mmCIF file of all heavy atoms in Angstrom:
data_model
loop_
_atom_site.group_PDB
_atom_site.id
_atom_site.type_symbol
_atom_site.label_atom_id
_atom_site.label_comp_id
_atom_site.label_asym_id
_atom_site.label_seq_id
_atom_site.Cartn_x
_atom_site.Cartn_y
_atom_site.Cartn_z
ATOM 1 N N ALA T 1051 -3.397 35.693 30.541
ATOM 2 C CA ALA T 1051 -2.508 35.785 31.697
ATOM 3 C C ALA T 1051 -3.237 35.426 32.980
ATOM 4 O O ALA T 1051 -2.710 34.701 33.852
ATOM 5 C CB ALA T 1051 -1.923 37.193 31.786
ATOM 6 N N GLU T 1052 -4.456 35.905 33.112
ATOM 7 C CA GLU T 1052 -5.234 35.625 34.314
ATOM 8 C C GLU T 1052 -5.524 34.146 34.496
ATOM 9 O O GLU T 1052 -5.620 33.651 35.628
ATOM 10 C CB GLU T 1052 -6.550 36.416 34.262
ATOM 11 C CG GLU T 1052 -6.373 37.913 34.417
ATOM 12 C CD GLU T 1052 -7.659 38.674 34.141
ATOM 13 O OE1 GLU T 1052 -8.676 38.017 33.769
ATOM 14 O OE2 GLU T 1052 -7.666 39.916 34.263
ATOM 15 N N GLU T 1053 -5.661 33.419 33.392
ATOM 16 C CA GLU T 1053 -5.996 31.987 33.485
ATOM 17 C C GLU T 1053 -4.751 31.091 33.502
ATOM 18 O O GLU T 1053 -4.869 29.870 33.460
ATOM 19 C CB GLU T 1053 -6.934 31.595 32.336
ATOM 20 C CG GLU T 1053 -8.284 32.309 32.415
ATOM 21 C CD GLU T 1053 -9.362 31.630 31.597
ATOM 22 O OE1 GLU T 1053 -9.363 30.383 31.530
ATOM 23 O OE2 GLU T 1053 -10.211 32.336 31.025
ATOM 24 N N GLY T 1054 -3.566 31.714 33.534
ATOM 25 C CA GLY T 1054 -2.341 30.931 33.716
ATOM 26 C C GLY T 1054 -1.639 30.507 32.454
ATOM 27 O O GLY T 1054 -0.785 29.609 32.482
ATOM 28 N N ALA T 1055 -1.947 31.142 31.327
ATOM 29 C CA ALA T 1055 -1.342 30.728 30.064
ATOM 30 C C ALA T 1055 0.157 30.967 30.039
ATOM 31 O O ALA T 1055 0.919 30.163 29.474
ATOM 32 C CB ALA T 1055 -2.006 31.457 28.900
ATOM 33 N N ILE T 1056 0.604 32.073 30.651
ATOM 34 C CA ILE T 1056 2.030 32.401 30.585
ATOM 35 C C ILE T 1056 2.869 31.343 31.298
ATOM 36 O O ILE T 1056 3.896 30.884 30.787
ATOM 37 C CB ILE T 1056 2.287 33.804 31.177
ATOM 38 C CG1 ILE T 1056 1.608 34.866 30.313
ATOM 39 C CG2 ILE T 1056 3.786 34.076 31.283
ATOM 40 C CD1 ILE T 1056 1.696 36.272 30.868
ATOM 41 N N THR T 1057 2.431 30.938 32.457
ATOM 42 C CA THR T 1057 3.157 29.901 33.194
ATOM 43 C C THR T 1057 3.182 28.586 32.414
ATOM 44 O O THR T 1057 4.217 27.917 32.315
ATOM 45 C CB THR T 1057 2.508 29.676 34.569
ATOM 46 O OG1 THR T 1057 2.527 30.896 35.295
ATOM 47 C CG2 THR T 1057 3.253 28.596 35.345
ATOM 48 N N SER T 1058 2.048 28.217 31.845
ATOM 49 C CA SER T 1058 1.964 26.960 31.085
ATOM 50 C C SER T 1058 2.853 27.012 29.847
ATOM 51 O O SER T 1058 3.526 26.027 29.505
ATOM 52 C CB SER T 1058 0.516 26.680 30.677
ATOM 53 O OG SER T 1058 -0.284 26.460 31.820
ATOM 54 N N LEU T 1059 2.864 28.156 29.176
ATOM 55 C CA LEU T 1059 3.723 28.293 27.999
ATOM 56 C C LEU T 1059 5.188 28.236 28.378
ATOM 57 O O LEU T 1059 6.007 27.627 27.675
ATOM 58 C CB LEU T 1059 3.402 29.610 27.280
ATOM 59 C CG LEU T 1059 2.093 29.628 26.489
ATOM 60 C CD1 LEU T 1059 1.732 31.056 26.096
ATOM 61 C CD2 LEU T 1059 2.195 28.760 25.238
ATOM 62 N N ALA T 1060 5.543 28.869 29.493
ATOM 63 C CA ALA T 1060 6.940 28.852 29.943
ATOM 64 C C ALA T 1060 7.383 27.435 30.279
ATOM 65 O O ALA T 1060 8.496 27.007 29.931
ATOM 66 C CB ALA T 1060 7.104 29.764 31.161
ATOM 67 N N ASP T 1061 6.511 26.682 30.940
ATOM 68 C CA ASP T 1061 6.843 25.283 31.260
ATOM 69 C C ASP T 1061 6.984 24.455 29.986
ATOM 70 O O ASP T 1061 7.883 23.604 29.868
ATOM 71 C CB ASP T 1061 5.755 24.683 32.149
ATOM 72 C CG ASP T 1061 5.759 25.267 33.554
ATOM 73 O OD1 ASP T 1061 6.791 25.841 33.955
ATOM 74 O OD2 ASP T 1061 4.710 25.158 34.235
ATOM 75 N N TYR T 1062 6.098 24.711 29.035
ATOM 76 C CA TYR T 1062 6.134 23.947 27.786
ATOM 77 C C TYR T 1062 7.400 24.256 26.984
ATOM 78 O O TYR T 1062 7.998 23.364 26.378
ATOM 79 C CB TYR T 1062 4.887 24.254 26.956
ATOM 80 C CG TYR T 1062 4.886 23.629 25.586
ATOM 81 C CD1 TYR T 1062 5.156 22.276 25.410
ATOM 82 C CD2 TYR T 1062 4.613 24.391 24.446
ATOM 83 C CE1 TYR T 1062 5.158 21.695 24.157
ATOM 84 C CE2 TYR T 1062 4.610 23.820 23.192
ATOM 85 C CZ TYR T 1062 4.890 22.475 23.042
ATOM 86 O OH TYR T 1062 4.898 21.913 21.801
ATOM 87 N N LEU T 1063 7.834 25.495 26.997
ATOM 88 C CA LEU T 1063 9.034 25.881 26.242
ATOM 89 C C LEU T 1063 10.275 25.095 26.676
ATOM 90 O O LEU T 1063 11.186 24.875 25.879
ATOM 91 C CB LEU T 1063 9.292 27.376 26.410
ATOM 92 C CG LEU T 1063 8.569 28.312 25.445
ATOM 93 C CD1 LEU T 1063 8.731 29.752 25.873
ATOM 94 C CD2 LEU T 1063 9.089 28.109 24.018
ATOM 95 N N LYS T 1064 10.294 24.653 27.902
ATOM 96 C CA LYS T 1064 11.458 23.926 28.402
ATOM 97 C C LYS T 1064 11.608 22.553 27.741
ATOM 98 O O LYS T 1064 12.712 22.020 27.658
ATOM 99 C CB LYS T 1064 11.339 23.745 29.920
ATOM 100 C CG LYS T 1064 11.329 25.055 30.695
ATOM 101 C CD LYS T 1064 11.062 24.796 32.174
ATOM 102 C CE LYS T 1064 10.936 26.100 32.956
ATOM 103 N NZ LYS T 1064 10.605 25.870 34.390
ATOM 104 N N VAL T 1065 10.494 21.987 27.280
ATOM 105 C CA VAL T 1065 10.525 20.617 26.751
ATOM 106 C C VAL T 1065 9.961 20.511 25.334
ATOM 107 O O VAL T 1065 9.893 19.422 24.771
ATOM 108 C CB VAL T 1065 9.731 19.665 27.674
ATOM 109 C CG1 VAL T 1065 10.376 19.588 29.047
ATOM 110 C CG2 VAL T 1065 8.275 20.124 27.799
ATOM 111 N N ALA T 1066 9.600 21.635 24.769
ATOM 112 C CA ALA T 1066 8.884 21.614 23.489
ATOM 113 C C ALA T 1066 9.771 21.191 22.326
ATOM 114 O O ALA T 1066 10.996 21.356 22.350
ATOM 115 C CB ALA T 1066 8.302 23.004 23.210
ATOM 116 N N SER T 1067 9.111 20.660 21.285
ATOM 117 C CA SER T 1067 9.786 20.404 20.015
ATOM 118 C C SER T 1067 10.093 21.741 19.359
ATOM 119 O O SER T 1067 9.666 22.800 19.823
ATOM 120 C CB SER T 1067 8.872 19.582 19.103
ATOM 121 O OG SER T 1067 7.690 20.320 18.812
ATOM 122 N N GLU T 1068 10.846 21.698 18.269
ATOM 123 C CA GLU T 1068 11.179 22.938 17.577
ATOM 124 C C GLU T 1068 9.917 23.653 17.107
ATOM 125 O O GLU T 1068 9.794 24.873 17.237
ATOM 126 C CB GLU T 1068 12.102 22.646 16.383
ATOM 127 C CG GLU T 1068 13.507 22.221 16.785
ATOM 128 C CD GLU T 1068 14.197 23.256 17.669
ATOM 129 O OE1 GLU T 1068 14.120 24.459 17.335
ATOM 130 O OE2 GLU T 1068 14.776 22.860 18.687
ATOM 131 N N GLU T 1069 8.969 22.896 16.565
ATOM 132 C CA GLU T 1069 7.718 23.508 16.123
ATOM 133 C C GLU T 1069 6.961 24.082 17.305
ATOM 134 O O GLU T 1069 6.384 25.178 17.235
ATOM 135 C CB GLU T 1069 6.849 22.488 15.388
ATOM 136 C CG GLU T 1069 5.570 23.079 14.822
ATOM 137 C CD GLU T 1069 4.701 22.050 14.124
ATOM 138 O OE1 GLU T 1069 5.073 20.867 14.099
ATOM 139 O OE2 GLU T 1069 3.646 22.460 13.580
#
Side-chain angles (χ1 to χ4, degrees):
E1052 290 171 357
E1053 296 199 36
I1056 295 175
T1057 301
S1058 295
L1059 286 167
D1061 290 341
Y1062 174 50
L1063 274 170
K1064 297 174 185 177
V1065 297
S1067 62
E1068 290 303 315
E1069 184 181 1

